[in-house]
Amino acid sequence: DVKQAAFSLCGSLLSHDVGQNPAEVVSELSKNVVQAGLLSLHKAVPDHGRDAKASLTEAALDEVNNALWCLCKAGKSMDGQTAVTVLGLVTPYLERTSGFPRMIVENATILIGCMAKTHSEAFAQYADHFFWSWAVALATLRDSDEKKDAFVGLFYVLQAREDVGRRHFPQVANAVASWHK
């Protein structure tokens, strides 16, 4: 409970205008959030050999959900290798048959999009492993500012790897068609 509340608080702090907080405080908070988020996701990453959702308690699901959301706020401060590590830990939550709550799938989808805005070149080389399920999940999100951010990341990845967009054109088209505003 403490970890999930801490992720919520830190995400809120990182969401506010940097002008209200000294840049060095924001930078240090971002680093700590990324380290804690990596640890929480690593502990909870689904094992494909068993029912992934059944292996996590409700408290662990809440912690993962808040870690995903909080990492979205700290995504700009990650280096490319850390972002790729997070991508590897987040991708299993996109599986359609994973049974995870909708909010976890949504936050995983948005997190990938937020990180892709800054790290599209690093993500492009791994697009074959996550792009299909990401585009499918993106199509299920309701319109929001977060979905808009995820779409920006999608377009950056498509610029870096046009072949992936051609190969998964129906999923990309469905994701774009899901935008109603």
Side-chain angles (χ1 to χ4, degrees), residues 1-2 10-11 27 31-32 39 43 46 49 55 73 77-78 102 121 131 136 141 181:
D1 287 345
V2 171
C10 290
S27 176
K31 277 193 264 181
N32 290 328
L39 183 62
K43 284 186 343 190
S55 68
K73 307 306 177 193
S77 67
M78 288 182 215
R102 180 175 174 85
E121 292 296 325
F131 193 87
V136 169
L141 298 181
K181 289 185 182 178

Side-chain angles (χ1 to χ4, degrees), residues 1 9-10 14-15 30 34 48 55 59 63 72 76 80-81 91 108 116 120 131 141 143 146 152 177:
D1 287 345
L9 174 62
C10 290
L14 290 170
S15 296
S30 293
V34 169
H48 293 291
S55 68
E63 180 183 333
C72 287
K76 294 177 202 164
Q81 186 55 47
T91 301
S120 59
F131 193 87
L141 298 181
D143 291 356
E146 289 83 12
V152 172

Side-chain angles (χ1 to χ4, degrees), residues 16 44 89 109 144 164:
H16 292 294
L89 293 171
T109 304
S144 66
V164 174

Side-chain angles (χ1 to χ4, degrees), residues 17 21 33 45 56 79 86 95 97 117-118 164 166 180:
D17 183 17
N21 300 306
V33 161
V45 73
L56 294 176
D79 60 49
V86 171
E95 298 297 324
T97 59
K117 288 184 340 186
T118 310
V164 174
R166 284 191 297 274
H180 299 289

